[in-house]
């Protein structure tokens, strides 16, 4: 049995309470959401926080809702609920694609959207999903709240814009017409982290792509969307050549490392191949050719 | 005699409610306890005043220990003791023998020789505090350059790992050779076709679900040691403790309670066990040590790690003439291989496979490296995994060169039924076999011709599909005492059977189940011989005070050795029962006829007595035949005359996504022959598990190291175990070719599938890559390695 170092523990009763605790306890304190990244690190003693602030009682952070302009997801929404949500499946099928291949049911029953983004693991899938969907993150502190884009949210591997006395509370995804999205992941085994994955989202204007975004996971320190991809997609008519071009751009704009999951060359190849595939499916969905 | 039977159909199985008194499908007696969470594993054991032990391990692969400061750890309020190698050395306990007669450090005294080697231990009131206190121990190391690349271990300038051994000036452990070098060379010189390939079986780990551990309890007054331990071989362990620690053997009781998987990982004696015994001895309280997942993966018995240069010689028509090989074996920092003394390379000598050859030769060099010790584990049947993988891979390479169908090539060369018993060119006597029907059955079940047609069509369209074939012969049931022993202990097994007055029985075994189903199988063996229902037979195992001596469960030896012992001891009891029956029925012994469960007078079946009647009479007040003692029990020790040689034909079908190089195992057909079947359901379970392991080894598993000797496989996120999603619905079938020398014709089955499946999977993947001109690729065939192979960039994994 792997056992963590000693720590103190408190259950927060509200978002305000949680933030106040965090502010008081400082950098030695951590929120625990689903615990499926934090607890394994504590058991391996790679993380040794002195205090854990449990935010699992904060029912105000469990929701998926929509209005005319956007879909809002509470930070404590679990993988399982993202997978099951018909609302997300209807607007952003990329979520269900991704959730089907994130970890395993046991992890999905506990792990959360907020925890996934805040963990900022370079191989983490939901950051790629959110980057492709042009999501924004709501960060709260005692002095109020701010909204940052995914590009600004990710500061580096395992590093985000969320400060020591702040909390991620919500993810907002803009609703735009004629959209389609899809996620492709290659893993060594079910439940493993991605060797590479690629999420794509497109918004059509008639026969052409008005706007498109691609987010890659596990091919570099940061999971953000690729600007040059968006430039190549905007105003272009969908075609196999376009997917190839964009796939090539994706491959050229990442910085994979050779490790136990694969060689850098293979990962770069996957960035291309999976981007082609995710784009193809995103367009098919946007144009009603595939659910 | 061979009988063939397709796999049972599940509907039929469900209808089958009759419980066999003897052999047949029967739900496992142990399962109600295990599936309700009511098992009793080592970590479930709680004793009054029990303390907890944690081990400090080396962060480096090779370093001199300059100093160790334990004062801060000792000051921890819940710490009871902190012990270093120097402390053990004072008691003469810093080193212990390995199962290969090498020595291994219990705690490092001079230097550390692999990353995660044991350096010190802490005993504390709870396991959290024990673990916390490890961080308070301050060790100063002086870094030495490590030997990680096995190919460089014998370089003249390689650092010397085992400078603890008198006069050691290199990292060489042993050279070994088998077969006839000159005769083989002659065949190769004249052969029309010779194919060579370097074939690697990387280092893997059995990763049992339950990690290793123990509770040691030394009673102060009597000096009695009771050790609850994750041991596959409790009797052998007891004797080794007696020899190492100088404890009198009658004062040692080793109990192996429920064990959550072993696969050879629980054969060795680990430093942790010795530490716990020492701690209990010194402190006078029970001490528990339970390693965590990382410790299990990085420090305990690994498997394989062979670099095999293989060569095969054949005629242009595909008649295989000879096989030879040169092997470089990485044994890690201490030679901890668990194998019979005369077999330092295990049973690698069966690398001639299932083929009728003119000559064969192998030589091997084993070396030390700065890695964890081990080598024989993961259901390998003493290195037959490596041998079979090599021959089945090189045969496929030959098929590739000859442009012959690999199944056809095998059929052409399989040993013929009339050649059994067959003596191989390396001196192994295969007891019985009828190979072709097994091969044909697998091909029929697969629809082999149709699969090849489908493959041809797919290739036209640029799709990648592969069909892999393997045919293996296993050698299990070690072993005849004339040439097999471990540390001088013969590999014969005792067995004791006692029938109670009411006709219920208890059978005591030296072997120990780790999930294989002994409680059921052995009850069925006794039931088959004496006609008492299996549910009325208690199987006692895993407690040295309550079972006869024997060498334990590994190398698929339980059924071939202890299974034979169980049958023979039952026959002995039955012979006595017959004498008692003759008295009861007032006829001579020769006039009695046995039908399962009762003796009847020949020609008058109405005059009979059941075994239960006889049991009561044996213990009852009435007269017994002249000169007969009361009671109905017996004990024997069975010395096998030979190993048993199970075999099988496996076919694997894979599809590869050409864009991502992701391999999907679509089908797997396994036809096994383990001789007489005791419980076909348990056999299928053993096969299913082994096939899943084979997919793991072939496609995802490797204990890898970086160049500094850091182990890169320290968690199950890094060292992958296949799930139900990577494994297809297994299609199993069997033929039955009994062993001629085993009392009821059984052979082992525990490791057949781990031996036979990796080559089938790899052969299938390589076959799928044929359009790329690929002839060989090394495990683990992860998507990345498959893709690199497709690009012409295949690199060996070590
Ligand atoms: C076996 C296994 C396999 C996995 N496979 C995958 C996979 O394939 N793909 C994938 O994407 N992920 C995978 N994961 C990770 C899983 O999705 C985690 O649940 C997720 O990364 C973290 O979410 P959590 O809710 O568990 O966060 P926690 O572990 O509770 O927290 C993670 C970090 O985020 C901080 N945090 C959490 N919530 C907030 C908040 N609201 N505001 C500020 N900080 C916060 C915590 O303090 C902590 O530092 C896997 C995990 C496991 C154990």
């Amino acid at each position: 049995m792997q056992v963590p170092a000693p720590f103190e523990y408190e259950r927060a009763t509200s978002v305000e309470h949680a933030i106040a605790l965090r502010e008081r306890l400082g950098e030695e304190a951590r929120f625990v959401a689903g615990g499926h990244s934090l607890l394994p690190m504590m058991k391996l003693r790679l993380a040794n926080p002195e205090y854990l602030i449990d935010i699992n009682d904060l029912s105000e952070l469990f929701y998926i809702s929509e209005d005319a302009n956007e879909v809002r997801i509470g930070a404590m929404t679990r993988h399982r609920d993202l997978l099951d949500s018909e609302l997300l499946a209807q607007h952003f099928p990329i979520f269900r694609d991704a959730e089907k291949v994130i970890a395993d049911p046991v992890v999905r029953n506990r792990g959360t959207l907020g925890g996934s983004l805040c963990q900022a693991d370079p191989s983490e899938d939901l950051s790629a999903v959110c980057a492709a969907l042009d999501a924004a993150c709501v960060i709260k502190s005692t002095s109020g709240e701010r909204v940052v884009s995914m590009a600004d949210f990710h500061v580096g591997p395992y590093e985000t814009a969320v400060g020591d006395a702040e909390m991620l509370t919500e993810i907002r995804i803009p609703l735009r017409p004629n959209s389609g999205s899809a996620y492709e992941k290659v893993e060594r085994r079910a439940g493993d982290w991605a060797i590479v994955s690629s999420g794509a989202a497109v918004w059509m204007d008639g026969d052409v792509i008005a706007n498109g975004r691609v987010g890659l996971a596990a091919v570099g320190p940061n999971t953000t969307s690729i600007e040059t991809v968006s430039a190549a997609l905007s105003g272009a008519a969908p075609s196999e050549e376009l997917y190839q071009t964009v796939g090539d751009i994706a491959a050229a704009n990442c910085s994979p490392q050779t490790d136990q999951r694969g060689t850098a060359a293979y990962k770069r190849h996957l960035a291309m191949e999976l981007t082609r595939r995710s784009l193809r499916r995103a367009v098919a969905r946007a144009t009603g050719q595939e659910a | 005699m061979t009988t063939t039977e397709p796999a049972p159909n599940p509907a039929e199985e469900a209808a089958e409610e009759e419980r066999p008194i003897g052999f047949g499908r029967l739900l496992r007696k142990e399962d109600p306890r295990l599936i309700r969470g009511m098992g009793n594993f080592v970590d479930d054991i709680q004793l009054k005043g029990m303390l907890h032990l944690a081990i400090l391990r080396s962060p480096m692969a090779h370093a001199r220990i300059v100093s160790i400061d334990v004062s801060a750890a000792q000051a921890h309020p819940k710490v009871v003791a902190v012990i270093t190698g120097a402390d053990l050395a004072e008691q003469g306990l810093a080193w212990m023998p390995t199962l290969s007669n090498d020595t291994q450090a219990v705690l490092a005294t001079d230097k550390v020789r692999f990353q995660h080697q044991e350096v010190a231990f802490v005993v504390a009131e709870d396991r959290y505090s024990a673990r916390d206190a490890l961080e308070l121990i301050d060790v100063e190391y002086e870094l030495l350059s490590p030997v990680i690349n096995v190919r460089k271990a014998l370089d003249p300038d390689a650092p010397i790992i085992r400078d603890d051994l008198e006069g050691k000036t290199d990292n060489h452990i042993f050279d070994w050779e088998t077969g006839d070098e000159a005769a083989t060379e002659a065949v190769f010189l004249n052969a029309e076709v010779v194919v060579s390939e370097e074939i690697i079986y990387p280092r893997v780990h059995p990763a049992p679900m339950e990690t290793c551990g123990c509770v040691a309890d030394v009673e102060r007054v009597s000096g009695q040691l009771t050790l609850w331990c994750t041991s596959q071989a409790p009797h052998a362990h007891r004797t080794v403790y007696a020899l190492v620690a100088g404890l009198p053997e009658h004062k040692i009781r080793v109990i192996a309670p429920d064990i959550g998987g072993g696969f050879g990982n629980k054969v060795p004696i680990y430093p942790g066990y010795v530490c716990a015994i020492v701690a209990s001895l010194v402190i006078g309280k029970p001490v528990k040590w339970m390693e965590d997942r990382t410790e299990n993966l990085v420090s305990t018995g690994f498997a394989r790690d062979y670099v095999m240069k293989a060569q095969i010689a054949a005629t242009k028509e595909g008649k295989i003439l000879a096989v030879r090989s040169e092997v470089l074996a990485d044994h890690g920092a201490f030679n901890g291989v668990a194998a019979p003394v005369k077999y330092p390379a295990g049973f690698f000598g069966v690398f001639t496979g299932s083929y009728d050859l003119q000559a064969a030769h192998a030589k091997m060099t084993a070396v030390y490296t700065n890695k964890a010790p081990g080598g024989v584990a993961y259901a390998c049947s003493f290195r037959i995994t490596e041998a079979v993988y090599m021959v089945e891979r090189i045969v496929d390479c030959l098929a590739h060169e000859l442009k012959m169908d690999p199944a056809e090539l095998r059929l052409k060369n399989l040993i013929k039924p009339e050649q059994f018993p067959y003596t191989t060119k390396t001196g192994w006597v295969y007891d019985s076999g009828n190979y072709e029907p097994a091969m044909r059955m697998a091909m029929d079940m697969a629809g082999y011709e149709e699969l090849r047609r489908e493959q041809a069509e797919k290739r036209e369209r640029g799709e990648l599909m592969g069909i892999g074939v393997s045919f293996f012969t296993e050698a299990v049931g070690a072993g005849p005492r004339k040439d097999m022993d471990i540390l001088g202990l013969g590999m014969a097994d005792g067995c004791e059977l006692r029938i109670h007055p009411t006709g219920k029985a208890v059978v005591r075994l030296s072997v120990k189940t780790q999930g294989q189903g002994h409680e059921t199988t052995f009850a069925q063996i006794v039931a088959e011989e004496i006609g008492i229902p299996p549910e009325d037979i208690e199987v006692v195992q895993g407690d040295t005070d309550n079972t006869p001596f024997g060498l334990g469960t590994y190398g698929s030896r339980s059924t071939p050795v202890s299974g034979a012992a169980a049958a023979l001891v039952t026959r002995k009891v039955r012979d006595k029962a017959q004498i008692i029956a003759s008295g009861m029925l007032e006829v001579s012994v020769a006039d009695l006829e046995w039908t399962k469960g009762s003796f009847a007078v020949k020609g008058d079946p109405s005059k009979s007595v059941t075994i239960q009647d006889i049991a009561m009479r044996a213990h009852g007040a009435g007269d017994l035949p002249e000169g007969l003692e009361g009671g109905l029990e017996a004990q024997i020790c069975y010395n096998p005359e030979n190993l048993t040689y199970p075999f099988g034909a496996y076919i694997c079908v894979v599809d590869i996504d050409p864009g991502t190089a992701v391999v999907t195992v679509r089908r797997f057909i396994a036809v096994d022959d383990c001789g007489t079947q005791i419980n076909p359901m348990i056999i299928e379970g053993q096969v299913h598990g082994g096939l899943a392991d084979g997919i793991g080894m072939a496609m995802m598993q490797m204990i890898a190291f970086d160049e500094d000797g850091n182990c890169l496989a320290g968690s199950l996120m890094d060292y992958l175990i296949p799930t139900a999603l990577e494994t297809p619905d297994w299609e199993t079938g069997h033929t039955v070719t009994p062993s001629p020398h085993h009392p009821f014709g059984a052979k082992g089955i525990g490791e057949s599938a781990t031996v036979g499946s990796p080559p089938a999977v790899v052969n299938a993947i390589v076959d799928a890559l044929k359009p790329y001109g690929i002839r060989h690729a090394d495990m683990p065939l992860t998507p990345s390695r498959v893709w690199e192979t497709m690009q012409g960039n295949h690199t060996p994994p070590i």
Side-chain angles (χ1 to χ4, degrees):
Chain A
M1 189 174 76
Q2 261 140 338
V3 294
F7 59 88
E8 284 176 38
Y9 171 91
E10 186 155 358
R11 281 183 97 86
T13 52
S14 67
V15 169
E16 288 66 35
H17 181 214
I19 293 171
L21 282 171
R22 191 77 213 269
E23 194 172 59
R24 180 155 62 80
L25 298 169
E27 61 177 15
E28 298 306 332
R30 293 276 197 100
F31 293 129
V32 59
H36 272 281
S37 287
L38 187 54
L39 298 188
M41 287 194 305
M42 288 171 63
K43 286 182 171 186
L44 292 169
R45 301 200 178 206
L46 297 172
N48 296 300
E50 283 175 26
Y51 309 94
L52 281 193
I53 304 162
D54 190 334
I55 56 174
N56 282 277
D57 286 348
L58 307 188
S59 50
E60 65 260 52
L61 295 183
F62 293 80
Y63 59 87
I64 304 173
S65 67
E66 79 179 309
D67 62 23
N69 300 320
E70 58 190 5
V71 167
R72 298 168 176 233
I73 310 177
M76 281 302 293
T77 306
R78 308 214 190 260
H79 289 301
R80 168 72 196 269
D81 300 309
L82 299 172
L83 176 65
D84 288 346
S85 165
E86 287 306 327
L87 188 147
L88 285 181
Q90 184 199 336
H91 292 302
F92 313 115
I94 186 174
F95 264 108
R96 191 165 286 175
D97 287 354
E99 286 293 355
K100 277 185 187 161
V101 290
I102 290 177
D104 51 52
V106 178
V107 173
R108 291 200 294 259
N109 283 341
R110 295 294 299 172
T112 65
L113 173 57
S116 294
L117 298 192
C118 291
Q119 183 63 26
D121 186 304
S123 306
E124 189 272 311
D125 290 293
L126 290 179
S127 295
V129 168
C130 289
L133 293 175
D134 201 10
C137 303
V138 180
I139 300 173
K140 269 200 178 142
S141 66
T142 42
S143 55
E145 75 174 37
R146 59 199 178 104
V147 180
V148 303
S149 70
M150 281 305 293
D152 293 333
F153 184 80
H154 265 261
V155 175
Y158 309 102
E159 244 184 283
T160 68
V162 184
D164 275 347
E166 289 186 317
M167 180 180 207
L168 172 66
T169 55
E170 184 179 273
I171 284 73
R172 295 178 182 163
I173 307 172
L175 273 173
R176 300 186 199 129
N178 306 320
S179 72
S181 59
Y183 199 70
E184 294 280 348
K185 171 175 175 176
V186 169
E187 50 193 3
R188 293 175 300 175
R189 188 208 62 188
D192 190 22
W193 294 79
I195 300 173
V196 173
S197 36
S198 167
V202 295
W203 295 269
M204 303 295 292
D205 183 3
D207 287 341
V208 299
I209 298 170
N211 222 317
R213 298 169 66 87
V214 166
L216 301 175
V219 282
N222 282 348
T223 304
T224 52
S225 77
I226 302 164
E227 290 308 319
T228 39
V229 159
S230 302
L233 286 172
S234 127
S239 70
E240 280 302 316
E241 295 73 52
L242 178 70
Y243 307 149
Q244 182 67 56
T245 308
V246 173
D248 290 339
I249 296 173
N253 284 277
C254 62
S255 44
Q257 305 271 325
T258 295
D259 60 16
Q260 290 294 103
R261 290 204 164 75
T263 61
Y266 174 58
K267 292 180 182 181
R268 209 178 277 285
H269 165 80
L270 281 184
M272 180 281 288
E273 181 65 26
L274 297 184
T275 296
R276 263 174 25 148
R277 292 182 186 195
S278 61
L279 258 182
R280 189 186 296 134
R281 261 169 80 206
V283 169
R285 283 168 171 168
T287 54
Q289 288 154 350
E290 193 195 309
Chain B
M1 178 200 69
T2 299
T3 49
T4 58
E5 229 179 286
N9 119 14
E12 209 174 289
E13 218 176 304
E16 187 183 21
E17 267 168 17
E18 214 174 285
R19 314 228 275 159
I21 298 181
F23 297 165
R25 304 182 90 76
L26 179 68
L27 291 180
R28 304 197 327 163
K29 289 170 63 173
E30 45 267 80
D31 285 346
R33 172 177 91 246
L34 296 174
I35 62 182
R36 286 179 190 145
M38 295 171 81
N40 183 38
F41 296 85
V42 169
D43 208 12
D44 292 322
I45 289 164
Q46 301 292 345
L47 300 180
K48 198 162 151 273
M50 187 174 78
L51 302 172
H52 295 264
L53 185 149
I55 295 177
L56 181 74
R57 293 173 183 279
S58 161
M60 290 155 203
H62 200 192
R64 194 160 300 286
I65 296 175
V66 178
S67 64
I68 305 183
D69 180 356
V70 300
S71 51
Q74 262 162 345
H76 187 292
K78 293 202 165 155
V79 166
V80 178
V82 185
I83 308 274
T84 65
D87 300 327
L88 289 188
E90 282 174 24
Q91 317 285 323
L93 289 172
W95 294 82
M96 64 176 188
T98 69
L99 295 179
S100 291
N101 269 317
D102 192 1
T103 50
Q104 171 173 1
V106 177
L107 294 177
T109 47
D110 48 348
K111 58 179 193 174
V112 289
R113 294 175 170 84
F114 67 94
Q115 192 198 27
H116 302 298
Q117 187 182 333
E118 299 78 3
V119 173
F121 69 80
V122 168
V123 182
E125 286 168 29
D126 61 80
R127 63 170 46 148
Y128 289 84
S129 302
R131 179 68 182 75
D132 292 344
L134 293 185
E135 273 155 45
L136 302 173
I137 301 176
D138 191 10
V139 185
E140 193 189 325
Y141 293 99
E142 176 195 321
L143 196 59
L144 302 170
S145 65
V147 179
I148 302 306
N149 184 341
V150 66
R151 297 164 209 262
K152 296 192 173 156
L154 294 180
D155 284 359
D157 59 344
I160 297 170
I161 300 167
R162 297 299 302 279
D163 49 358
D164 57 296
L165 299 173
E166 231 4 85
K168 194 85 188 129
T169 54
D170 58 22
N171 296 314
H172 181 264
I173 307 177
F174 64 79
D175 287 326
W176 170 87
E177 123 171 62
T178 187
D180 186 332
E181 185 166 22
T184 308
E185 173 66 14
V187 174
F188 268 87
L189 276 177
N190 297 315
E192 290 168 341
V193 185
V194 171
V195 179
S196 314
E197 193 69 74
E198 183 183 83
I199 295 168
I200 291 169
Y201 212 134
R203 179 178 279 235
V204 289
H205 194 281
M209 199 187 298
E210 177 204 34
T211 58
C212 299
C214 70
V215 176
D217 186 14
V218 182
E219 233 183 86
R220 275 246 162 118
V221 178
S222 65
Q224 165 88 27
L225 161 67
T226 307
L227 185 73
W228 288 264
C229 186
T230 51
S231 171
Q232 297 178 223
H235 289 279
H237 279 194
R238 182 190 60 196
T239 306
V240 175
Y241 291 126
L243 296 173
V244 180
L247 295 168
E249 198 167 3
H250 67 295
K251 294 281 189 191
I252 306 175
R253 178 178 181 187
V254 176
I255 302 175
D258 282 323
I259 296 187
F263 315 101
N265 186 243
K266 291 168 181 167
V267 171
I269 289 178
Y270 292 118
Y273 304 155
V274 179
C275 292
I277 295 170
V278 171
S280 180
L281 197 66
V282 171
I283 300 165
K285 285 191 174 173
V287 174
K288 180 185 279 186
W289 168 67
M290 205 67 219
E291 63 186 9
D292 65 30
R293 178 62 57 194
T294 301
E295 292 180 289
N296 180 254
L297 286 169
V298 301
S299 73
T300 63
F302 74 92
R304 329 285 194 257
D305 223 343
Y306 270 21
V307 177
M308 304 176 279
K309 289 204 173 103
Q311 270 196 321
I312 191 165
T315 67
K316 276 190 265 185
E317 290 71 40
K319 172 83 193 96
I320 303 173
L321 304 172
V323 177
R324 67 180 168 192
S325 77
E326 229 176 283
V327 181
L328 182 58
D330 186 340
H331 282 225
F334 306 100
N335 185 17
V337 162
V341 170
K342 288 183 197 147
Y343 298 83
F347 298 169
F348 187 79
V350 300
F351 71 92
T352 53
S354 315
Y355 311 108
D356 186 20
L357 307 181
Q358 292 178 3
H361 179 250
K363 54 182 174 193
M364 177 180 299
T365 298
V367 299
Y368 291 120
T369 60
N370 288 111
K371 300 175 197 165
V376 167
Y378 209 171
C380 73
S381 299
F382 298 117
R383 304 281 194 188
I384 294 178
T385 34
E386 290 92 319
V388 163
Y389 179 66
M390 184 190 83
V391 64
E392 288 307 290
R393 200 71 277 295
I394 197 73
V395 165
D396 254 40
C397 293
L398 175 66
H400 181 104
E401 290 309 315
L402 294 173
K403 302 196 169 40
M404 252 180 100
D405 182 276
E408 191 193 325
L409 176 61
R410 285 178 171 81
L411 281 168
K412 208 173 182 140
N413 289 283
L414 291 173
I415 300 164
K416 304 266 178 302
E418 59 274 15
Q419 291 176 283
F420 289 92
Y422 178 86
T423 305
T424 71
K425 290 290 178 272
T426 46
W428 299 75
V429 183
Y430 292 5
D431 59 345
S432 66
N434 193 1
Y435 293 170
E436 185 173 334
M439 186 71 185
R440 298 256 178 229
M441 179 188 257
M443 292 171 72
D444 287 347
M445 285 168 65
Y448 191 75
E449 299 304 323
E450 183 49 38
L451 285 172
R452 286 287 173 206
R453 252 195 303 282
E454 179 192 347
Q455 180 184 45
E457 280 170 29
K458 290 208 155 139
R459 280 193 180 152
E460 291 287 310
R461 297 199 296 267
E463 291 170 39
L464 302 178
M465 166 185 169
I467 305 157
V469 178
S470 77
F471 196 101
F472 64 91
T473 300
E474 263 261 72
V476 302
R481 53 191 310 158
K482 64 178 185 300
D483 63 355
M484 288 183 193
D485 68 271
I486 289 186
L487 285 182
L489 299 173
M491 303 185 83
D493 282 0
C495 187
E496 215 178 280
L497 175 67
R498 192 177 295 173
I499 316 283
H500 298 315
T502 57
K504 316 286 183 194
V506 53
V507 60
R508 297 170 192 279
L509 307 169
S510 60
V511 288
K512 171 65 203 172
T513 187
Q514 308 119 45
Q516 295 92 331
H518 286 15
E519 285 167 52
T520 311
T521 304
F522 282 86
Q524 288 184 272
I525 294 171
V526 174
E528 178 73 23
E529 296 289 342
I530 207 154
I532 296 173
E535 58 269 30
D536 289 348
I537 301 166
E538 190 64 23
V539 176
V540 177
Q541 49 174 347
D543 178 348
T544 54
D545 269 11
N546 285 310
T547 56
F549 188 85
L551 271 221
T553 294
Y554 43 84
S556 300
R557 66 186 295 283
S558 294
T559 296
V561 187
S562 273
L568 293 179
V569 80
T570 313
R571 287 178 195 174
K572 206 165 164 183
V573 166
R574 200 176 68 200
D575 287 346
K576 181 172 182 184
Q578 186 165 5
I579 300 171
I580 298 171
S582 77
M584 292 168 79
L585 294 169
E586 297 178 336
V587 291
S588 80
V589 165
D591 286 334
L592 289 173
E593 203 167 40
W594 171 254
T595 36
K596 204 187 267 182
S598 59
F599 281 105
V601 176
K602 278 183 187 161
D604 186 359
S606 70
K607 285 178 84 182
S608 73
V609 284
T610 64
I611 187 69
Q612 288 82 4
D613 301 334
I614 300 169
M616 188 52 91
R617 174 61 70 98
H619 297 88
D623 269 350
L624 291 173
E626 186 75 42
L628 203 68
E629 288 176 3
L632 195 54
E633 55 191 76
Q635 169 159 16
I636 66 152
C637 182
Y638 175 76
N639 173 32
E641 154 187 342
N642 185 7
L643 302 177
T644 66
Y645 294 79
F647 56 91
Y650 289 179
I651 297 177
C652 175
V653 184
V654 302
D655 297 297
I656 302 182
D657 180 331
T660 60
V662 170
V663 178
T664 307
V665 179
R666 190 206 304 175
R667 290 179 67 195
F668 201 106
I669 295 93
V671 173
D672 274 283
D673 191 321
C674 58
T676 304
Q677 300 206 334
I678 300 163
N679 184 333
M681 186 198 76
I682 287 182
I683 290 171
E684 282 157 25
Q686 293 286 292
V687 171
H688 288 186
L691 297 178
D693 282 341
I695 287 184
M697 293 168 213
M699 295 175 57
M700 58 192 79
Q701 297 179 343
M702 174 164 169
I703 300 286
F705 295 85
D706 69 13
E707 57 194 23
D708 297 324
N710 295 308
C711 180
L712 304 177
S715 82
L716 296 180
M717 302 279 279
D718 305 293
Y719 185 76
L720 300 179
I721 306 224
T723 73
L725 293 176
E726 282 74 39
T727 52
D729 284 339
W730 311 114
E731 301 170 57
T732 55
H734 63 270
T735 59
V736 176
T737 312
S739 165
H741 63 84
H742 186 275
F744 56 92
K747 301 178 175 184
I749 188 65
E751 301 163 311
S752 285
T754 35
V755 163
S757 58
V761 179
V762 173
N763 287 348
I765 295 172
V766 172
D767 183 52
L769 299 179
K770 203 170 202 162
Y772 294 80
I774 305 299
R775 193 178 82 180
H776 176 69
D778 283 312
M779 305 186 275
L781 287 166
T782 58
S784 180
R785 291 184 56 80
V786 171
W787 185 79
E788 291 289 354
T789 302
M790 287 161 70
Q791 312 310 306
N793 296 333
H794 175 263
T795 46
I798 48 177

